[in-house]
Amino acid sequence: MLRPFTLALAGTLTLAACSGSDAATSDYPTWHNSGVHAVSRMSAAGGVVTTTSMKPDGTLETVALRLSDGTKLWAHPATMAGRLPGMGVSAPAVVETADGSAVVAALDPAKKGRWNAAVIARDARTGGQKWTRPVHSTFGPQRCGPYLCLSEHTALSSARVVVLDPATGAQLWKLPGLAEVEWSDSQQVVMLRLAKSPTLESYELKTGKLRWQQPIEQALGPGIDLSGGWAFGATGDDLIGYVAPYTNPETKRTSAFGLFSIKITDGSVNWMRPSVVRVYPSGSPGHAPVVRPVDQRGGYGGFARLDAGNGRVIGQITAADVPGSGWWLAFPGRMDRLGFLKHDQEGAAFDLVSGKPVAVEEQRGWSFCVTDPKPLPLRGQAPGFYSVAAVCEYDLATGKRVQAASAPPSWFTGSQDGWRLWRDEKGGVHAVHDGTASIPGMYG
């Protein structure tokens, strides 16, 4: 899952996207639902897509759409209670259950006494309520294999994570402290422990037994501070993690940062790339990561695409080739070229493998549709929440938007069971079933 802890950080590191994209054509089932204003990531399971949508009055609702055609199945009011703005709007969690159906869990407005909201689980297709659990504060429910993981009391010293049966809400086991799910399958879950010295820890899902733990400082060095943000993505049996830099406003010191890979089976470190920043938009750290090195004085180097399997450089361009300022990065669908988009001007493009410049004529690229996003006008929430960003296609030779754009590349959308999902700049939800192999997208 992508976790830019502040969208402002993503904005300052902005680096865009370019064509050679996976085209959505009439040969594939496609749909577009413009009746929602999705502001969170999307989750899909059991033939249902869920997202958090913002209504015109600034309130939130959980929306369920049929995966096959985008038809709206149901909607219920939603809220957030204790989620930090830099984490973005929480997405519903959807989990398939043993009987072949699925459950959607989300946070509903239900203030009562010391409880500020309630996690309510509903039948994914009908919206019928199955169970409810009051909460004081939470980052929101997450799918963890066949179960639900829920952070509770996140604003209190008694913070914990509970693992719940999605069908009944019964608590299976709990873990003290703050943690977020970064990867799971039917047997285990890997969590990031959000502590002063953060660690990755793997637990047996049925019992809660600790399998292994790996301090992130082992990979990136001392001085980790998660305030800058983080992101994880899996490739094969490995989990690739990124921790962004954070400069303490009081000490002016910048925390340790970079990219690293661990084995999911035992937590051992495969490779590490300290002192590099991830570029945006780009693929998941687990799929074609692109980074820029940063020296000890904060100077940026060139750009390098890494092999997620071994951390080696596949291709790069030097800092001397970076064309001044005022650009946004662009990548083709295969990410074999690196483009520099300049709005309404001619940009530049490079072959990412050889590092040599290429002509920009007929080069198209995907970039953030909005370069200066505004925070969402959410009612009853702390200021500073942003919607998940959308990308638009541009002609690099002119810097103008392509009107008849195809589907964004799979490195951005990701793919699950052959389906690719994304939101447009107005919050509409799109899908194409083009059989793309399952890969994580920019947002997990």
Side-chain angles (χ1 to χ4, degrees):
M1 132 179 312
L2 173 72
R3 174 80 62 238
F5 216 109
T6 60
L7 244 296
L9 173 69
T12 61
L13 300 177
T14 50
L15 307 162
C18 166
S19 187
S21 64
D22 312 280
T25 71
S26 58
D27 295 335
Y28 301 119
T30 64
W31 54 260
H32 170 212
N33 190 319
S34 59
V36 297
H37 183 188
V39 292
S40 77
R41 293 178 295 105
M42 286 168 274
S43 305
V48 173
V49 180
T50 66
T51 187
T52 302
S53 176
M54 186 181 72
K55 299 171 70 174
D57 64 358
T59 59
L60 298 173
E61 63 178 0
T62 301
V63 176
L65 309 175
R66 191 157 53 212
L67 179 59
S68 61
D69 59 13
T71 299
K72 185 176 180 179
L73 298 174
W74 53 266
H76 283 281
T79 192
M80 293 181 289
R83 188 171 173 89
L84 304 177
M87 301 178 77
V89 177
S90 58
V94 56
V95 184
E96 292 190 62
T97 53
D99 61 2
S101 59
V103 166
V104 172
L107 204 62
D108 281 38
K111 187 170 180 60
K112 185 177 181 180
R114 65 186 292 251
W115 308 112
N116 295 313
V119 172
I120 297 184
R122 296 181 171 93
D123 182 276
R125 292 191 177 273
T126 68
Q129 184 173 316
K130 301 182 76 71
W131 53 265
T132 181
R133 184 182 178 97
V135 293
H136 172 274
S137 46
T138 178
F139 295 154
Q142 292 183 278
R143 182 182 67 84
C144 47
Y147 304 119
L148 279 169
C149 285
L150 176 67
S151 57
E152 292 186 320
H153 311 318
T154 54
L156 306 175
S157 59
S158 56
R160 64 183 186 177
V161 175
V162 294
V163 180
L164 310 174
D165 183 322
T168 65
Q171 181 175 310
L172 304 176
W173 51 277
K174 62 183 178 180
L175 179 70
L178 296 172
E180 180 183 79
V181 175
E182 305 301 347
W183 180 91
S184 66
D185 64 8
S186 61
Q187 303 298 318
Q188 66 171 319
V189 58
V190 177
M191 295 187 188
L192 173 64
R193 298 299 299 271
L194 308 180
K196 185 176 181 180
S197 298
T199 62
L200 286 169
E201 298 178 352
S202 173
Y203 294 88
E204 290 184 2
L205 269 171
K206 290 186 177 180
T207 65
K209 179 182 177 182
L210 178 67
R211 295 169 56 116
W212 55 259
Q213 60 183 179
Q214 179 63 264
I216 292 181
E217 290 184 344
Q218 290 290 329
L220 299 180
I224 297 293
D225 190 324
L226 296 178
S227 300
W230 65 89
F232 286 84
T235 177
D237 295 327
D238 301 328
L239 184 65
I240 292 82
Y242 170 65
V243 176
Y246 175 73
T247 301
N248 187 302
E250 295 181 0
T251 65
K252 308 302 180 183
R253 293 182 179 179
T254 300
S255 62
F257 60 97
L259 209 66
F260 64 98
S261 169
I262 63 168
K263 281 187 172 63
I264 293 174
T265 52
D266 61 13
S268 59
V269 176
N270 296 309
W271 55 262
M272 59 194 77
R273 284 274 178 180
S275 300
V276 297
V277 293
R278 180 188 177 200
V279 303
Y280 297 100
S282 63
S284 159
H287 178 70
V290 179
V291 299
R292 292 190 79 176
V294 182
D295 63 28
Q296 291 184 340
R297 288 182 287 187
Y300 286 91
F303 295 86
R305 174 176 169 179
L306 307 180
D307 185 320
N310 55 34
R312 295 174 182 168
V313 174
I314 296 176
Q316 61 182 323
I317 67 167
T318 67
D321 289 322
V322 177
S325 60
W327 45 258
W328 297 72
L329 281 189
F331 296 101
R334 292 181 298 278
M335 299 188 79
D336 54 353
R337 291 186 178 181
L338 176 64
F340 293 89
L341 168 70
K342 292 192 174 184
H343 291 284
D344 298 319
Q345 300 179 48
E346 182 180 76
F350 292 81
D351 184 291
L352 193 51
V353 177
S354 68
K356 298 186 178 302
V358 296
V360 294
E361 286 72 21
E362 299 184 5
Q363 292 289 326
R364 291 184 175 182
W366 293 87
S367 180
F368 287 127
C369 301
V370 178
T371 57
D372 57 344
K374 302 296 189 295
L376 294 168
L378 297 179
R379 181 189 292 183
Q381 297 292 334
F385 282 95
Y386 292 79
S387 62
V388 170
V391 292
C392 294
E393 193 173 22
Y394 290 84
D395 183 336
L396 288 182
T398 64
K400 295 185 181 300
R401 188 180 299 190
V402 176
Q403 296 304 316
S406 56
S410 57
W411 58 256
F412 179 79
T413 66
S415 182
Q416 182 179 340
D417 299 326
W419 281 96
R420 300 199 292 120
L421 298 159
W422 68 97
R423 71 180 290 275
D424 59 35
E425 60 184 312
K426 295 181 180 179
V429 178
H430 297 252
V432 57
H433 189 222
D434 60 4
T436 302
S438 292
I439 57 171
M442 175 172 159
Y443 289 103

